[in-house]
Amino acid sequence: TAAEARLAARNFRLRIAADLDPPAFNSANPLLPDTDDDFPNQLPKALRGTDLKIDIPQFDQGENGRRGIIRLFWNGEPKAATPITFPVEMTLPASATGSEGEYELKYIAIIAGNDTSSLPLVVNIDTTAPNNNRPGEQVGLPAEVEANGITREYLDINGKVVVTVPATYLDAKIDDEVILMFGPSIPLAKEVGR
């Protein structure tokens, strides 16, 4: 009956009016695992400035899977649109992720004239290298090596050169790597340790 149809449409509008689950980065281009000492949802450096696959979680489309569209937004700006046919994978364009900052990724489902927004996924892009992109402090060497350099005699007696890396630097983070290079100049130096 017409009353049942109106009731079903009303109930659908109430269900779809609830916030939808946030979008997710596809396993082909995942975010970094969260750490206790940094902002969550960090975009890896290698993925900045590339097209990114975004998954839209399945949601209720009402009786008979009503047709509609999904629009993807990055900081409030529309970036893509597609018809709703699950599974839904959208593309966040490369131009969206080139700059440092905190960004909000969300989508809006438009079904039967009703717009419903997803919960946002806040994505962080950090383009500043550790130590504010400055070289670290000079490493410490044994006094004999400082005075005479690394000699065959020193290596015969000690077997190795112990290098002391300063323990702290600005904005140190979990999983940072300190790379030790040795050579006559920066371009000719070779990695000797991490």
Side-chain angles (χ1 to χ4, degrees):
T1 69
E4 290 172 336
R6 282 192 300 276
L7 181 60
R10 179 183 172 278
N11 289 339
F12 171 71
R13 283 193 306 275
L14 290 174
R15 279 195 319 273
I16 198 69
D19 286 331
L20 301 172
D21 290 335
F25 277 65
N26 187 281
S27 61
N29 47 234
L31 296 171
L32 293 172
D34 292 346
T35 59
D36 291 338
D37 67 338
D38 212 347
F39 293 110
N41 302 321
Q42 291 272 357
L43 184 68
K45 180 179 180 179
L47 296 179
R48 288 195 315 249
T50 65
D51 288 342
L52 300 170
K53 295 178 183 179
I54 305 298
D55 295 329
I56 305 300
Q58 189 158 353
F59 53 80
D60 181 11
Q61 292 173 260
E63 293 179 22
N64 304 320
R66 295 178 186 214
R67 294 181 183 195
I69 62 169
I70 293 177
R71 289 202 172 107
L72 186 68
F73 290 83
W74 182 251
N75 257 17
E77 293 182 24
K79 294 297 178 184
T82 189
I84 301 173
T85 306
F86 288 104
V88 175
E89 182 182 284
M90 302 183 81
T91 301
L92 181 64
S95 60
T97 60
S99 299
E100 185 166 20
E102 185 177 88
Y103 297 88
E104 189 175 270
L105 179 67
K106 71 177 187 175
Y107 60 93
I108 293 177
I110 304 167
I111 302 173
N114 297 300
D115 294 10
T116 304
S117 181
S118 74
L119 294 168
L121 173 67
V122 177
V123 179
N124 285 286
I125 299 176
D126 179 3
T127 61
T128 304
N131 204 35
N132 288 325
N133 203 24
R134 292 191 326 256
E137 293 179 35
Q138 188 168 338
V139 297
L141 297 170
E144 187 178 334
V145 172
E146 279 284 353
N148 304 322
I150 301 173
T151 63
R152 171 57 51 201
E153 180 182 355
Y154 182 88
L155 290 175
D156 287 343
I157 295 169
N158 298 287
K160 61 185 174 187
V161 177
V162 176
V163 177
T164 305
V165 177
T168 59
Y169 54 90
L170 296 174
D171 69 353
K173 302 285 184 205
I174 294 171
D175 292 333
D176 282 352
E177 284 185 318
V178 175
I179 302 170
L180 180 62
M181 309 289 284
F182 179 75
S185 65
I186 291 175
L188 299 175
K190 292 188 167 76
E191 181 178 329
V192 294
R194 286 180 181 248

